[in-house]
Amino acid sequence: NNISRQDSPTGRRSLKGKAKVAEGGKLEGQPEQIVVVEMSEEDPGEAERCLQQVYRDKVFLPGDKDWRVGKNFFVVKSTVERVVKWAFESSTGLYPKDPIPIGSYREGLHLQAGGSSNNFDFLVPLRFNPRLALTSGSITKEVSCYEQRLPTYIFREEGVPVYRWGTKVLVDLEAVGETYVEVHCDKRKDAWLEDDDADITVDRLSECKESLHQHNLDPVEILKDFYRHVEIALDPAYTHPRQNDPVFQRRLFPSRVPKIDNRLRQNIKLEALDLHGPAIHLTFHEGPDTVPVNLVPAIQGAIKLSNQWVREDLTHLSDWWDGDLANEKRSFLRKVAAVQEAGPELVPKGGYWRLSFSHAETLILEDIDADGGQRRVALRLLKFVNETRWVPEYGKVLTSYHLKTILLWCCEIYPQKAQWGTLLSSLQALLRVLNYTLTKRNLPHYFLQPVNLFGKRYQSSSAPYRLLALDALRWEAEVMLANIVGYLMPGGKPQCGCAQDELEEKRASLWEFKEKHQEDLKELKRMEEEHLYEEVEMGEEAGLGPSTKN
């Protein structure tokens, strides 16, 4: 079956990945584990053929669609590389490296559905010289007592200590001042004594504050500056990003930047700046396709993770999963290896620098189907269901990142090849874990504990909309799990046996739930579409309460 052998986004299978799986497919000294895959009474062969047909016809179209997606990516990538080189020149060296593809397309989890365009995401590395040491454990003061800006002229061989609250990275200047750090600031020590306040005491904390005030990376200002640099690169009036700079105009040999054709610029729209971040949004118009592109400025390679942090702050499966934990140690060590090799990035979002693990996720997912499994295919089909059925009805309660996290956890919970041998069994695995997290109202971050990705606070106090949203999707997942083929093809040939009976029973319960909460579900969708909510990362702040299912 060609569908079970998915190519990478570049069209080539990873030979490196095959070697890894061949070496690490079975843990030495451990007995082979048997997995019992739950099947309905319908013919599994017929169900598999139906699901593969849905996948081919609706989810991942081959042929011309595949060619257009690849062509669009090539055009976007080459253009973004030129834009970043312009940004490097106009920012006097703040963006020294080429953009790095990330996201669904890079991970091979993208859709190729008819009538829709793929979006492409890129990390744009920022220049940042200091090293940061992420301290294990929680913060001891209010979040407002910490600095959101990162110092660029304070250095420490072991790394400047920083703290974490959820995904937010915070600087405690008092703690920095108490450690041995090398501080640089424009104000000389003797200048302190020349000020009117003669009683100023020159200490390390004052130096740190002055240095941070003068030299820092502010997450909000970075987004504003990067937006301005991209705006210049796409402006037809510019032939060089520094053409209006008097210093540049006096140069005998001006720096060179790649040409950006004005016809290409006309096909690119720079969307309005969103200071909540983390991306600058572009829209490319390529023939019949409208292609969204996200450029995320990011700090790479700055975070040092101690062994204590890895042990205590990295999420374990046993932190939340009640089932079999036989594979926990092995999967945790694989996660640790990915984090240590790729490291976290820092991206600007919501006024803070936040931890992101896009590179580590890509490493883990790179060879995910090297054993011939159907993990990617199943995840794409579930994303298709979410985008075509659940989002139109309830709003974007579930995101692509939620579903990718489900897949990552699912691979730990079901490590055996047998579970992923068919599209049907793979979908059942994903749906079981999705249903479990919706029932618990907790989807743990794959790397950071105790971050709950389902944490959200809607701007309304009249009803528990967060619980309502999760319960609505829980009902949908239960209906789909009862009979996947019947759920996806409601007008198809009726199934026989208990599977069809269970499907009809679950559908009736879902209908009753929708009728009971009809007005609240409409309000939920409106708030989702208008973004009338705030994300709450820590579970204790998310307002957990009783179920609205019954």
Side-chain angles (χ1 to χ4, degrees):
N1 190 331
N2 290 333
I3 295 178
S4 66
R5 300 186 57 184
Q6 291 302 312
D7 293 337
S8 69
T10 59
R12 299 189 299 271
R13 288 297 299 270
S14 171
L15 298 178
K16 178 183 175 184
K18 291 182 179 179
K20 285 183 180 178
V21 173
E23 295 170 2
K26 182 176 183 299
L27 190 61
E28 292 184 4
Q30 294 233 357
E32 199 76 48
Q33 291 186 339
I34 305 297
V35 173
V36 178
V37 180
E38 298 178 10
M39 290 287 185
S40 63
E41 291 190 3
E42 60 186 297
D43 177 10
E46 179 62 27
E48 182 70 12
R49 285 189 290 273
C50 290
L51 291 178
Q52 296 285 6
Q53 181 181 346
V54 171
Y55 180 79
R56 286 191 301 268
D57 295 346
K58 296 183 177 181
V59 179
F60 204 80
L61 303 180
D64 180 64
K65 179 68 175 180
D66 189 50
W67 177 85
R68 286 199 347 248
V69 171
K71 187 264 293 182
N72 290 344
F73 177 73
F74 175 79
V75 171
V76 167
K77 182 174 182 292
S78 60
T79 305
V80 167
E81 286 173 350
R82 297 182 184 191
V83 168
V84 170
K85 283 181 170 61
W86 275 58
F88 170 77
E89 183 66 25
S90 60
S91 66
T92 61
L94 191 55
Y95 306 95
K97 297 181 180 179
D98 285 337
I100 302 169
I102 57 171
S104 295
Y105 186 78
R106 173 64 181 86
E107 295 158 351
L109 301 177
H110 61 294
L111 303 180
Q112 286 183 186
S116 64
S117 298
N118 289 89
N119 64 303
F120 303 118
D121 305 318
F122 296 87
L123 277 184
V124 182
L126 282 158
R127 185 185 65 205
F128 185 76
N129 295 323
R131 299 282 284 173
L132 304 174
L134 193 56
T135 305
S136 178
S138 185
I139 59 177
T140 57
K141 297 180 285 188
E142 293 292 328
V143 175
S144 58
C145 297
Y146 294 85
E147 270 287 346
Q148 303 170 15
R149 301 170 296 175
L150 294 179
T152 56
Y153 270 49
I154 299 177
F155 301 92
R156 180 171 177 252
E157 185 176 351
E158 300 85 357
V160 177
V162 293
Y163 298 82
R164 176 178 72 89
W165 178 246
T167 62
K168 300 182 182 78
V169 171
L170 307 168
V171 177
D172 185 351
L173 281 181
E174 292 183 1
V176 172
E178 292 172 358
T179 60
Y180 178 76
V181 291
E182 182 182 348
V183 183
H184 298 267
C185 60
D186 296 339
K187 196 170 187 179
R188 303 187 318 274
K189 287 187 177 182
D190 55 358
W192 294 91
L193 303 178
E194 297 173 2
D195 287 342
D196 294 335
D197 298 326
D199 60 342
I200 291 181
T201 302
V202 181
D203 57 18
R204 186 52 56 91
L205 177 58
S206 299
E207 286 185 303
C208 288
K209 289 181 178 180
E210 183 67 19
S211 178
L212 180 67
H213 176 71
Q214 295 171 357
H215 308 287
N216 65 78
L217 282 187
D218 184 298
V220 175
E221 292 304 317
I222 282 293
L223 283 171
K224 290 179 180 179
D225 290 345
F226 187 50
Y227 186 89
R228 187 177 68 254
H229 299 318
V230 173
E231 192 174 34
I232 290 173
L234 298 179
D235 188 343
Y238 281 81
T239 58
H240 192 283
R242 297 181 63 189
Q243 66 186 35
N244 298 327
D245 183 351
V247 175
F248 172 81
Q249 292 170 352
R250 291 195 297 268
R251 285 185 178 179
L252 184 60
F253 300 102
S255 57
R256 300 178 63 183
V257 292
K259 181 181 179 181
I260 303 178
D261 193 276
N262 282 342
R263 289 175 298 179
L264 183 60
R265 284 166 162 163
Q266 292 172 359
N267 293 331
I268 305 172
K269 179 184 178 183
L270 177 61
E271 304 294 344
L273 175 61
D274 179 9
L275 288 178
H276 290 288
I280 302 299
H281 306 286
L282 305 174
T283 301
F284 281 64
H285 298 281
E286 284 296 314
D289 297 325
T290 301
V291 184
V293 175
N294 302 312
L295 307 181
V296 183
I299 298 171
Q300 286 188 302
I303 294 284
K304 295 180 66 174
L305 301 177
S306 65
N307 291 332
Q308 180 185 4
W309 189 93
V310 169
R311 287 194 308 269
E312 298 178 2
D313 288 58
L314 207 59
T315 314
H316 292 71
L317 181 62
S318 56
D319 292 336
W320 65 280
W321 180 249
D322 296 333
D324 183 18
L325 298 173
N327 188 57
E328 181 184 27
K329 182 177 180 180
R330 181 182 177 186
S331 60
F332 183 76
L333 291 177
R334 182 182 64 169
K335 184 190 302 187
V336 170
V339 169
Q340 290 178 337
E341 178 178 347
E345 304 90 32
L346 294 176
V347 299
K349 184 179 180 182
Y352 294 88
W353 288 105
R354 296 180 186 248
L355 291 165
S356 168
F357 293 85
S358 57
H359 264 188
E361 290 163 356
T362 300
L363 278 179
I364 294 172
L365 293 169
E366 184 178 21
D367 307 316
I368 197 172
D369 278 332
D371 60 358
Q374 299 279 298
R375 299 168 186 84
R376 277 195 175 92
V377 176
L379 195 278
R380 286 171 177 159
L381 203 155
L382 191 55
K383 286 175 66 174
F384 178 79
V385 171
N386 183 50
E387 291 184 11
T388 58
R389 297 182 64 166
W390 299 345
V391 171
E393 185 157 6
Y394 308 110
K396 203 169 185 178
V397 179
L398 273 186
T399 65
S400 177
Y401 191 75
H402 287 139
L403 295 178
K404 180 171 70 173
T405 304
I406 292 289
L407 175 62
L408 289 168
W409 282 123
C410 226
C411 290
E412 290 199 16
I413 294 168
Y414 302 107
Q416 301 85 356
K417 178 181 176 180
Q419 179 66 57
W420 306 99
T422 67
L423 180 50
L424 177 62
S425 61
S426 301
L427 270 172
Q428 288 172 333
L430 292 175
L431 286 168
R432 282 197 291 269
V433 176
L434 174 61
N435 187 56
Y436 180 91
T437 59
L438 290 168
T439 300
K440 297 289 186 178
R441 293 161 184 162
N442 178 31
L443 174 56
H445 194 289
Y446 189 65
F447 296 96
L448 300 173
Q449 61 95 8
V451 177
N452 178 12
L453 296 181
F454 283 159
K456 186 180 284 189
R457 183 183 293 119
Y458 291 95
Q459 296 178 13
S460 175
S461 58
S462 60
Y465 287 103
R466 172 182 173 271
L467 308 183
L468 181 69
L470 298 181
D471 284 338
L473 289 172
R474 176 161 57 126
W475 273 117
E476 294 283 359
E478 288 186 4
V479 174
M480 186 174 177
L481 189 56
N483 188 327
I484 294 176
V485 175
Y487 186 87
L488 294 176
M489 307 173 69
K493 180 181 176 181
Q495 305 293 320
C496 58
C498 296
Q500 185 65 18
D501 294 340
E502 184 179 2
L503 175 64
E504 296 303 326
E505 180 182 340
K506 295 288 186 182
R507 274 180 175 164
S509 299
L510 174 59
W511 184 85
E512 291 179 7
F513 174 84
K514 289 181 179 179
E515 283 293 303
K516 181 179 179 180
H517 301 285
Q518 185 176 12
E519 294 304 317
D520 285 336
L521 289 172
K522 289 181 181 178
E523 178 65 9
L524 168 67
K525 183 182 178 183
R526 184 189 71 83
M527 289 190 291
E528 281 287 340
E529 292 175 343
E530 298 179 12
H531 301 281
L532 299 178
Y533 58 81
E534 60 178 323
E535 296 177 356
V536 182
E537 294 178 334
M538 311 304 284
E540 63 267 23
E541 295 183 22
L544 301 178
S547 173
T548 60
K549 183 174 179 181
N550 295 319

